[in-house]
Amino acid sequence: KLIESLQNLQQRAAAEQQQQMSGNVKENLDAIHDTTNSPSTGTGESGVIVTEFFDYNCPYCRSAGETMQALLAADANVRVIYREWPILGDDSVIAARAALAAREQGKYEAFHWALMNGDGRVTEAVIFKVARDLGMDVAKLEADMASPSVEAHIALSNALAQQLGFTGTPAFIVGDKTAPGMLSLDEITTLVAEARADP
């Protein structure tokens, strides 16, 4: 009896937490889906938006990167918004700043995937090697890394993650539902289908 009531309590608490999170997502949906200062890819023609919070030094985020590439290849009507959320040390902050600054040279996507698909820890040396390999103006990149738009993107990531109760990377928002943690292609495809079916 005791175990049963404990399980019921846990289920109720989990349901309440999910409901509260869902409310927080709805309250912040405009900020979550605003792409004026967030890199994004895909058309979003179906109205389904997937927002990914990630850190370049998170091994799970690298696996998630492969999942996102597969999702975009399979479903051209999804829009993916990239939310840089560097939480794993100084190298991660530098990587996020550099990736966001790469927008000024039209290289975000190339830079993002070069870091995501690389091996080992993303360090300052790796970051600037990638920039040189992509033929970027490194001095301009360094200057742009301190720009207000880069600061604002990372500050908003921190604020949203706190509001939504995210405690680690990767974390996803599919439509208006949160999905913290690693997702397989099947799981994210199911969430996208549910969001598409939910008017």
Side-chain angles (χ1 to χ4, degrees):
K1 262 287 188 248
L2 183 64
I3 289 173
E4 202 176 302
S5 57
L6 272 174
Q7 284 172 334
N8 288 340
L9 265 177
Q10 284 173 329
Q11 283 170 346
R12 223 180 9 246
E16 279 170 21
Q17 191 182 4
Q18 186 58 47
Q19 206 171 357
Q20 189 182 346
M21 238 183 214
S22 180
N24 289 349
V25 171
K26 288 190 173 84
E27 274 173 36
N28 292 285
L29 213 51
D30 287 347
I32 293 163
H33 287 171
D34 184 4
T35 55
T36 46
N37 192 25
S38 291
S40 67
T41 190
T43 64
E45 278 179 16
S46 66
V48 178
I49 299 174
V50 177
T51 306
E52 180 189 9
F53 287 68
F54 62 90
D55 182 306
Y56 289 110
N57 277 313
C58 157
Y60 301 109
C61 296
R62 292 188 178 181
S63 299
E66 289 171 23
T67 302
M68 298 312 277
Q69 282 176 300
L71 174 70
L72 285 161
D75 190 340
N77 294 324
V78 168
R79 178 183 286 276
V80 174
I81 296 175
Y82 300 108
R83 197 124 277 294
E84 303 271 350
W85 186 34
I87 54 172
L88 298 172
D90 292 344
D91 287 337
S92 294
V93 173
I94 295 165
R97 286 181 174 280
L100 291 165
R103 292 180 295 182
E104 298 299 325
Q105 298 182 50
K107 299 274 189 181
Y108 177 84
E109 197 94 3
F111 201 92
H112 172 81
W113 292 118
L115 294 183
M116 271 295 175
N117 297 332
D119 294 319
R121 188 163 176 82
V122 174
T123 61
E124 201 168 338
V126 168
I127 292 158
F128 290 109
K129 182 184 183 308
V130 165
R132 285 190 297 276
D133 289 349
L134 291 172
M136 294 174 73
D137 177 336
V138 175
K140 176 173 171 44
L141 183 74
E142 286 189 280
D144 291 335
M145 281 167 68
S147 74
S149 66
V150 167
E151 293 283 349
H153 178 99
I154 293 171
L156 183 58
S157 294
N158 287 328
L160 286 172
Q162 199 171 356
Q163 278 271 218
L164 300 170
F166 291 155
T167 54
T169 52
F172 298 89
I173 301 162
V174 183
D176 61 5
K177 288 193 173 66
T178 57
M182 186 59 212
L183 292 176
S184 68
L185 182 57
D186 282 349
E187 287 169 326
I188 202 155
T189 303
T190 301
L191 287 169
V192 166
E194 284 170 5
R196 201 166 269 154
D198 193 12

